[in-house]
């Protein structure tokens, strides 16, 4: 049995039933306890349980060393062994088990210089980022350790650093991004940082340069799809953070459009980056190492944001914009513009194959295969879509009206919109 006085050296209050463990979680907790180790649920799961949200994952902390954790659980992945984290699988659930750590210096502005295993829950909690993330729950004893009054901050809706805010943000620049992410409280609104943390966010923003672009992207993308994204993005803009990470000067007046759109990441990025050119959008997302398909789609939607089809163009618009018509309509509606032409195009065909091929054109024009032939096929294809042609005879009649013998083929119409 764990000697509570040694390791669980942080004041505790009784909170029966705060976390009702699943069978999988119980098995993992018991396996550690049976070997005489202390084990607590920490971080997000405790925070979420207190505000009545079902935790989506369970992070555990224990005084067992990583090699001891691995010896107890066969099905383990040493995800961050150097930092004391072993991911353990039980059934379909994964648990991140991190060994208690002591304080150490942070020379590189992101990671501790060296990680030392600790024997004190109090010390471990003191190196966590925000008071609401610095609580631990002992499932067996049904007690909560909350040394920094995280519960009270949750009640008041306040985000507060553990310890001196500017020192904590200077140790690890990632905490800046985490602070903005945690401001979004979902259906309960926004947690505002207390005065000290607010000031530290402004003073320490240079620390972001110590954070990898991958981690910045990871946090930013979560912020952008948040339920209260516009409020958080507004604060990030007022604090000069968005400018620093995206290299653009966003237009806060447009943030309300973000909220009028579903939490579609690329739609929201397109709006957020509306002040940039298409190429800047691409460069900026690329420098954050966003996934290729996110970059491509954001750029496409960003382009659509400023373009709406004329009713006469509905067919070509629908064929070109294809799957993104709904996202486009959503953005246009969010701006307060009329999406009816866009929406009515949904009844038109989106995938229109060209009725004729190169051989068919060769036979009628004596053009040899090459660029001019390809461009002529494009031109015909466009007319086919615009006029809703259905037969090769109709295509032939069109071909007779085109002056393909003359002119620069680069100027011929293409299947593109606008
Ligand atoms: P969620 O998983 O819901 O995003 P979380 O709070 O569980 O939120 P994790 O990234 O899973 O976030 O981290 C687990 C816990 O580890 C946090 O609650 C916090 O106590 C601590 N933590 C994570 N990252 C840091 C950091 N950069 N500095 C200090 N403590 C951190
Ligand atoms: Mg977590």
């Amino acid at each position: 049995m764990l000697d509570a006085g040694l390791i669980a050296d942080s004041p505790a209050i009784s909170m029966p039933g705060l976390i009702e463990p699943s069978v999988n979680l119980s098995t993992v907790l018991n396996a550690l306890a049976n070997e005489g180790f202390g084990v607590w649920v920490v971080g997000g799961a405790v925070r979420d349980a207190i505000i009545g949200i079902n935790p989506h994952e369970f992070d555990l902390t224990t005084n067992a060393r990583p090699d001891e954790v691995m010896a107890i659980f066969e099905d383990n992945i040493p995800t961050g062994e150097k930092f004391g984290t072993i991911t353990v699988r039980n059934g379909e659930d994964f648990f991140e088990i991190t060994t208690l750590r002591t304080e150490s210096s942070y020379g590189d502005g992101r990671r501790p210089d060296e990680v030392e295993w600790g024997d004190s829950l109090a010390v471990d909690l003191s190196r966590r980022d925000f008071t609401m993330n610095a609580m631990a729950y002992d499932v067996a004893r049904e007690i909560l350790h909350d040394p920094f009054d995280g519960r009270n901050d949750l009640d008041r809706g306040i985000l507060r650093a553990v310890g001196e805010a500017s020192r904590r943000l200077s140790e690890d620049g990632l905490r800046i991004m985490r602070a903005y992410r945690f401001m979004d409280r979902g259906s309960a609104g926004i947690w505002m940082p207390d005065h000290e943390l607010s000031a530290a966010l402004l003073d320490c923003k240079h620390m972001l340069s110590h954070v990898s672009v991958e981690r910045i992207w990871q946090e930013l993308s979560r912020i952008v799809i948040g339920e209260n994204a516009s409020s958080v993005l507004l604060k990030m803009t007022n604090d000069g953070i968005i400018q620093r990470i995206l290299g653009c000067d966003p237009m806060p007046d447009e943030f309300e459009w973000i909220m009028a759109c579903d939490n579609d990441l690329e739609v929201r990025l397109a709006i957020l980056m509306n002040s940039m050119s298409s190429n800047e959008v691409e460069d900026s997302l690329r420098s954050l190492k966003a996934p290729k398909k996110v970059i491509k789609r954001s750029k496409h939607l960003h382009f659509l944001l400023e373009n709406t089809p004329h009713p006469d163009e509905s067919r070509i618009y629908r064929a070109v914009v294809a799957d993104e018509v709904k996202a486009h309509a959503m953005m246009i509606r969010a701006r307060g513009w009329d999406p009816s032409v866009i929406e009515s195009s949904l009844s038109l065909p989106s995938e229109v194959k060209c009725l004729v091929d190169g051989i068919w054109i060769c036979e009628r024009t004596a053009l040899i295969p090459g660029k001019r032939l390809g461009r002529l096929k494009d031109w015909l294809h466009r007319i086919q879509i615009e006029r809703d042609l259905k037969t090769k005879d109709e295509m032939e009649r069109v071909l007779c009206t085109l002056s393909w013998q003359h002119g620069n083929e680069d100027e011929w119409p293409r299947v593109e919109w606008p």
Side-chain angles (χ1 to χ4, degrees):
M1 191 67 172
L2 167 73
D3 180 351
L6 255 187
I7 300 157
D9 52 351
S10 156
I13 53 162
S14 167
M15 278 199 94
L18 178 64
I19 291 172
E20 299 284 1
S22 64
V23 174
N24 288 343
L25 175 58
S26 276
T27 317
V28 170
L29 295 173
N30 290 338
L32 281 157
N34 289 342
E35 293 297 318
F37 296 113
V39 57
W40 299 265
V41 176
V42 280
V46 183
R47 178 192 71 226
D48 289 350
I50 287 176
I51 56 179
I53 299 174
N54 244 349
H56 61 96
E57 59 169 29
F58 290 88
D59 298 311
L60 310 180
T61 190
T62 177
N63 61 324
R65 304 298 189 246
D67 54 325
E68 293 170 321
V69 173
M70 287 193 282
I72 294 174
F73 302 101
E74 242 169 53
D75 205 352
N76 70 65
I77 315 158
T79 24
E81 197 183 350
K82 195 166 158 249
F83 298 98
T85 305
I86 309 292
T87 301
V88 163
R89 197 175 87 144
N90 191 13
E92 65 283 5
D93 294 329
F94 291 84
F95 301 96
E96 284 207 345
I97 306 183
T98 305
T99 302
L100 291 172
R101 287 182 258 179
T102 59
E103 260 311 18
S104 65
S105 54
Y106 286 70
D108 72 352
R110 171 65 190 98
R111 295 279 200 182
D113 294 333
E114 55 188 71
V115 175
E116 279 179 46
W117 313 141
D119 276 315
S120 158
L121 182 63
V123 172
D124 184 89
L125 294 179
S126 73
R127 39 156 292 282
R128 292 175 182 269
D129 47 9
F130 307 111
T131 58
M132 58 180 190
N133 289 345
M135 298 183 277
Y137 187 65
D138 184 328
V139 175
R141 296 176 180 77
E142 303 193 297
I143 53 176
L144 178 76
H145 300 271
D146 177 17
F148 303 101
D149 223 0
R151 241 172 6 129
N152 189 28
D153 289 338
L154 281 178
D155 264 2
R156 296 187 300 160
I158 287 178
L159 187 66
R160 195 159 60 87
V162 169
E164 194 191 320
S166 58
R167 185 173 69 79
R168 302 312 309 287
L169 299 189
S170 305
E171 286 171 353
D172 177 1
L174 179 65
R175 292 175 188 153
I176 297 172
M177 292 303 289
R178 287 176 60 87
Y180 289 105
R181 170 156 68 84
F182 285 119
M183 286 179 205
D184 194 337
R185 212 181 156 179
S187 54
I190 282 282
W191 268 305
M192 281 322 271
D194 72 347
H195 184 70
E196 200 192 323
L197 181 57
S198 277
L201 286 169
L202 283 176
D203 290 346
C204 300
K205 49 176 183 268
H206 60 277
M207 289 303 298
L208 284 174
S209 58
H210 297 276
V211 184
S212 71
V213 289
E214 288 88 347
R215 294 296 274 121
I216 292 203
W217 164 253
Q218 200 180 18
E219 295 294 331
L220 178 69
S221 54
R222 290 180 72 175
I223 291 168
V224 169
I225 55 168
E227 243 176 275
N228 301 290
S230 64
S231 309
V232 179
L233 291 169
L234 181 62
K235 174 131 183 72
M236 291 178 83
T237 302
N238 291 340
D239 291 354
I241 303 287
I242 291 293
Q243 294 84 332
R244 183 176 275 264
I245 58 186
L246 288 179
C248 70
D249 233 331
M251 296 185 267
D253 293 349
E254 298 180 355
F255 288 179
E256 68 190 61
W257 307 347
I258 290 179
M259 298 325 292
C261 290
D262 298 343
N263 56 355
D264 176 319
L265 176 65
E266 291 91 345
V267 163
R268 290 183 168 193
L269 284 172
I271 297 172
L272 178 64
M273 301 171 94
N274 193 23
S275 65
M276 302 171 109
S277 72
S278 255
N279 287 340
E280 286 166 344
V281 168
E282 179 171 354
D283 291 346
S284 170
L285 292 176
R286 196 175 285 209
S287 67
L288 286 177
K289 300 200 181 149
K292 282 205 184 77
K293 72 180 212 307
V294 171
I295 300 176
K296 191 168 166 217
R297 184 160 182 258
S298 304
K299 192 178 169 193
H300 181 48
L301 294 170
H302 172 271
F303 165 79
L304 292 178
L305 195 54
E306 293 302 319
N307 291 284
T308 48
H310 185 272
D312 298 346
E313 303 172 311
S314 288
R315 285 184 183 279
I316 190 77
Y317 164 80
R318 171 65 170 143
V320 171
V321 178
D323 290 344
E324 297 297 8
V325 170
K326 282 189 184 146
H328 190 197
M330 179 163 72
M331 296 193 299
I332 294 302
R333 206 179 305 113
R335 303 185 72 161
W337 294 353
D338 178 11
S340 56
V341 175
I342 294 174
E343 279 166 351
S344 65
S345 81
L346 279 168
S347 61
L348 301 170
S350 67
E351 265 179 52
V352 189
K353 288 227 167 61
C354 190
L355 287 167
V356 298
D357 58 15
I359 298 168
W360 185 94
I361 300 174
C362 276
E363 284 166 2
R364 283 155 186 81
T365 60
L367 277 173
I368 49 164
K371 185 174 166 205
R372 204 167 170 85
L373 178 74
R375 297 288 299 103
L376 180 55
K377 184 180 165 209
D378 239 14
W379 189 1
L380 283 165
H381 190 194
R382 177 171 178 126
I383 294 174
Q384 175 199 325
I385 296 168
E386 285 176 333
R387 302 186 194 164
D388 195 23
L389 304 183
K390 295 279 193 267
T391 65
K392 287 187 177 168
D393 284 350
E394 289 173 305
M395 295 293 269
E396 187 144 13
R397 284 198 287 279
V398 167
L399 179 61
C400 294
T401 67
L402 301 182
S403 55
W404 54 266
Q405 295 92 338
H406 315 285
N408 178 357
E409 68 268 16
D410 287 328
E411 288 163 12
W412 293 349
R414 295 165 193 261
V415 181
E416 64 187 6
W417 179 85

